[in-house]
Amino acid sequence: ASSNIPTGLSVALAHLFFNLFGTLIWFPIPCIRAIPLGMAKGLGSLAADLRWFPLAYILYVFGILPGLLLALSLAHWAALVFVGLPLLFIIVAICCLFGLRANSPDVVPAVFKKDLFFFPPSMRMSNETENASATSEAASASNADLSNPRRWW
């Protein structure tokens, strides 16, 4: 039992410093603080629209993606560089595109403004004015926020 003390202490200090550095990076500057908050709000809207999304997100982010990157790194460093980096770049580009669609739609080219048939309501651009008027009309109702999850914040 006493032989596990240094290991436990190193793990605890690693978690402590990870959280402290994360706080120092994200918290002091208000415009940077808005990034993780906006991402959390977007994921919450998707979870409100699609019941299966939280489970799929957890399985993908904490299981499939790390397993894929581990398998690529064990295969060869070149596999990780030439497959993993483009995959990571595509994921980041898609996230940036949807962030721009939600926050600055005037910057997005017209090709990317089209709503695909499988988009949930929180990811659609065309129903913004309809949903805004529907929530303003039902503002006095107790479940007014349920009609448009994107407006929860």
Side-chain angles (χ1 to χ4, degrees), residues 100-124:
L100 285 174
R101 278 175 51 103
N103 298 318
S104 301
D106 53 331
V107 178
V108 179
V111 174
F112 297 119
K113 289 183 180 181
K114 295 178 184 173
D115 290 331
L116 300 177
F117 69 93
F118 56 85
F119 281 180
S122 62
M123 294 176 69
R124 295 189 182 274

Side-chain angles (χ1 to χ4, degrees), residues 25-38:
I25 290 170
W26 292 105
F27 187 72
I29 305 170
C31 63
I32 293 178
R33 187 183 318 159
I35 295 171
L37 292 175

Side-chain angles (χ1 to χ4, degrees), residues 41 44-49 121-122 130-153:
K41 290 173 185 175
S45 293
L46 280 174
D49 288 342
S122 62
E130 298 168 11
N131 289 337
S133 64
T135 54
S136 64
E137 292 171 359
S140 61
S142 62
N143 63 351
D145 288 339
L146 295 178
S147 65
N148 187 7
R150 189 176 203 171
R151 298 285 182 212
W152 282 8
W153 60 86

Side-chain angles (χ1 to χ4, degrees), residues 19-106:
N19 289 331
L20 286 176
F21 286 127
T23 302
L24 290 174
I25 290 170
W26 292 105
F27 187 72
I29 305 170
C31 63
I32 293 178
R33 187 183 318 159
I35 295 171
L37 292 175
M39 292 169 66
K41 290 173 185 175
L43 289 174
S45 293
L46 280 174
D49 288 342
L50 308 169
R51 283 182 64 127
W52 54 266
F53 181 76
L55 180 62
Y57 178 80
I58 290 171
L59 289 175
Y60 179 74
V61 170
F62 297 106
I64 295 170
L65 188 62
L68 176 67
L69 293 176
L70 177 66
L72 288 172
S73 69
L74 292 176
H76 196 269
W77 66 268
L80 181 63
V81 169
F82 293 113
V83 176
L85 282 180
L87 179 68
L88 186 64
F89 177 74
I90 290 170
I91 292 170
V92 169
I94 290 172
C95 290
C96 289
L97 177 64
F98 280 111
L100 285 174
R101 278 175 51 103
N103 298 318
S104 301
D106 53 331

